[in-house]
């Protein structure tokens, strides 16, 4: 993905986009914001928290010049052009909508909503305001995923018939938002959404129906183990995600003549290359696999730069709200299936 600040048809540099940040979450402070601030097109200009002391400390730690003690104060700042929304899941729709109606473009962390109905409401907000709203699936900006999709599209593995994904970690901290059902915690919302999103990315179409099994934590009520199956019409996604299993992630894409394996598909390291394996299946011990290494990139950096560039140039954004709403329709169907015990249409 391009990271230069040069315009697409001009040698003149593009003006950086002034960003505001909602909240001071640990994830944002430690992971996404340090990556975003390195971009020539991404200027972190303000940060808001409901605790002004927390806002000032967070802003100072990242060199952000303005700190606000409420989210509304940030949205009222006329200098802010784009909002990054890493708030807890149940606050995504409310504050994304308010930001867009305040005249800001919005990059919101996944999941964009907790239901397809609420995601559809944000589609309406985008039409109403004309502002860009996108879901922050940073994996869509990493070159390993573009390489994998190029191989699929070019027929390197024949016809794509099955995508298999696993994503898990172990966390039983009762106060962690990932373990709080009332704020949108649980495995499917937190990490299973990646399997849904990347399968749609690779297949290039929408699934027809979904089936799922869910195991809920008896104390938290969140889904601690979810396994799902999506029917793409003659092709499948199968996945397992868990918040209470050994840390692991892997994706395999099986074709009629070969397979693609992505070693670290989701939490791609920012300080080392990622590896993809293209295997024709001629040996069962995988010795026939050819290894491709990507450049060293930071997918969060690429994501914010691409969004800023789209704002400045009017170009398309990756994973726009319409695509995000499609992910929520699938997640809704998976949860319905877990309750009904049968296939659910999407």
């Amino acid at each position: 993905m391009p990271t230069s600040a040069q315009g697409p048809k001009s040698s003149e540099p593009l003006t950086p986009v002034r960003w505001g940040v909602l909240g001071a979450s640990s994830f944002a402070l430690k992971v996404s914001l340090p990556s975003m601030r390195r971009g020539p097109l991404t200027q972190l200009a303000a940060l808001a928290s409901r605790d002004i002391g927390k806002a000032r400390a967070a802003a100072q730690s990242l060199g952000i010049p303005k700190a606000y003690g409420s989210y509304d104060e940030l949205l009222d700042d006329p200098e802010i052009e784009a909002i990054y929304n890493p708030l807890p899941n149940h606050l995504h729709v409310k504050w994304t909508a308010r930001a867009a109606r305040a005249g800001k473009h919005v990059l919101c962390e996944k999941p964009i909503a907790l239901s397809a109905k609420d995601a559809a409401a944000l589609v309406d907000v985008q039409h109403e305001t004309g502002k860009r709203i996108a879901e922050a699936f940073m994996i869509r900006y990493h070159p390993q995923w573009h390489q994998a999709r190029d191989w699929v599209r070019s027929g390197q593995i024949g016809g794509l018939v099955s995508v298999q994904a696993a994503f898990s970690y172990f966390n039983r901290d009762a106060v962690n938002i990932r373990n709080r059902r009332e704020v949108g915690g649980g495995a499917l919302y937190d990490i299973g959404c990646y399997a849904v999103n990347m399968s749609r990315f690779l297949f290039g179409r929408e699934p027809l129906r979904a089936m799922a099994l869910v195991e809920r934590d008896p104390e938290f009520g969140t889904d601690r183990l979810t396994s799902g199956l999506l029917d793409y019409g003659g092709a499948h996604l199968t996945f397992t995600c868990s918040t209470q299993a050994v840390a692991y992630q892997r994706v395999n894409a099986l074709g009629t003549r070969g397979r693609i394996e992505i070693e670290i598909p989701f939490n791609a390291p920012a300080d080392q290359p990622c590896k993809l394996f293209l295997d024709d299946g001629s040996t069962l011990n995988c010795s026939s696999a050819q290894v491709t290494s990507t450049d060293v990139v930071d997918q969060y950096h690429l994501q914010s730069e691409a969004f800023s560039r789209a704002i400045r140039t009017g170009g398309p954004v990756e994973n726009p709200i319409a695509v995000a709403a499609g992910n929520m329709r699938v997640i809704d169907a998976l949860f319905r299936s877990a309750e009904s015990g049968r296939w659910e249409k999407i």
Side-chain angles (χ1 to χ4, degrees):
M1 301 293 294
T3 58
S4 169
Q6 299 297 317
K9 297 181 180 179
S10 171
S11 59
E12 294 297 319
L14 299 174
T15 305
V17 174
R18 296 182 297 276
W19 286 71
V21 182
L22 292 175
S25 70
S26 176
F27 163 77
L29 296 182
K30 294 179 180 179
V31 180
S32 55
L33 294 180
S35 299
M36 292 173 66
R37 69 192 293 262
R38 295 191 299 103
L41 289 180
T42 303
Q43 178 184 336
L44 297 182
L47 182 146
S49 170
R50 291 171 293 182
D51 180 335
I52 185 60
K54 186 176 181 180
R56 287 171 177 161
Q60 183 177 15
S61 71
L62 291 165
I64 298 174
K66 294 181 183 179
Y68 290 112
S70 75
Y71 303 149
D72 283 318
E73 285 183 273
L74 173 60
L75 299 188
D76 288 340
D77 186 337
E79 294 186 350
I80 298 303
E81 302 171 89
I83 293 293
Y84 173 55
N85 181 357
L87 293 171
N89 294 345
H90 70 303
L91 298 177
H92 285 176
V93 171
K94 174 183 177 180
W95 288 102
T96 293
R98 291 180 72 162
R101 287 179 172 135
K104 321 298 185 187
H105 305 282
V106 187
L107 179 65
C108 180
E109 275 300 329
K110 52 80 196 165
I112 195 75
L114 297 181
S115 72
K117 180 180 178 181
D118 285 345
L122 288 181
V123 176
D124 293 339
V125 169
Q126 178 169 273
H127 291 157
E128 168 196 334
T129 63
K131 295 300 173 181
R132 292 164 179 267
I133 301 174
E135 188 175 28
F137 269 103
M138 71 292 182
I139 63 172
R140 282 182 172 242
Y141 300 88
H142 200 287
Q144 67 178 349
W145 282 103
H146 291 268
Q147 179 64 81
R149 186 172 63 176
D150 288 347
W151 282 338
V152 170
R153 287 177 170 177
S154 65
Q156 287 280 351
I157 60 171
L160 179 62
V161 296
S162 177
V163 176
Q164 303 169 347
F167 196 0
S168 58
Y169 59 80
F170 196 97
N171 182 334
R172 289 213 78 252
D173 179 1
V175 301
N176 190 289
I177 60 172
R178 293 168 181 82
N179 293 320
R180 294 172 55 196
R181 189 173 185 178
E182 72 275 12
V183 300
L188 184 53
Y189 281 140
D190 189 42
I191 52 179
C193 61
Y194 285 100
V196 174
N197 188 283
M198 66 86 192
S199 67
R200 295 168 63 224
F201 182 80
L202 288 182
F203 281 116
R205 61 183 188 272
E206 297 299 315
L208 305 175
R209 56 181 183 160
M211 180 175 282
L213 289 173
V214 167
E215 170 70 21
R216 292 195 177 274
D217 185 285
E219 179 184 351
F220 307 143
T222 53
D223 62 308
R224 62 183 178 185
L225 174 66
T226 293
S227 295
L229 176 62
L230 299 184
D231 176 10
Y232 277 89
H236 302 155
L237 163 72
T238 58
F239 74 93
T240 291
C241 59
S242 177
T243 59
Q244 294 180 28
V246 63
Y248 181 72
Q249 53 186 268
R250 196 64 53 94
V251 166
N252 265 287
L254 308 182
T256 54
R257 294 189 290 103
R259 72 175 181 93
I260 301 164
E261 182 177 348
I262 303 180
E263 184 178 54
I264 309 177
F266 308 121
N267 297 123
D271 58 353
Q272 57 186 284
C274 288
K275 294 179 181 178
L276 298 88
F277 303 87
L278 183 62
D279 193 354
D280 64 7
S282 57
T283 64
L284 293 180
N285 65 2
C286 303
S287 61
S288 52
Q290 300 177 8
V291 182
T292 296
S293 295
T294 68
D295 293 334
V296 177
V297 299
D298 184 330
Q299 57 190 353
Y300 292 99
H301 164 79
L302 295 180
Q303 176 177 250
S304 59
E305 285 296 279
F307 195 78
S308 292
R309 178 176 292 278
I311 290 172
R312 285 288 178 258
T313 65
V317 300
E318 187 69 62
N319 214 65
I321 184 58
V323 174
N327 229 53
M328 289 313 307
R329 287 193 291 271
V330 177
I331 290 172
D332 275 5
L334 288 164
F335 276 129
R336 290 199 307 271
S337 174
E339 295 295 324
S340 70
R342 60 176 182 266
W343 284 101
E344 292 287 343
K345 291 183 178 179
I346 299 168

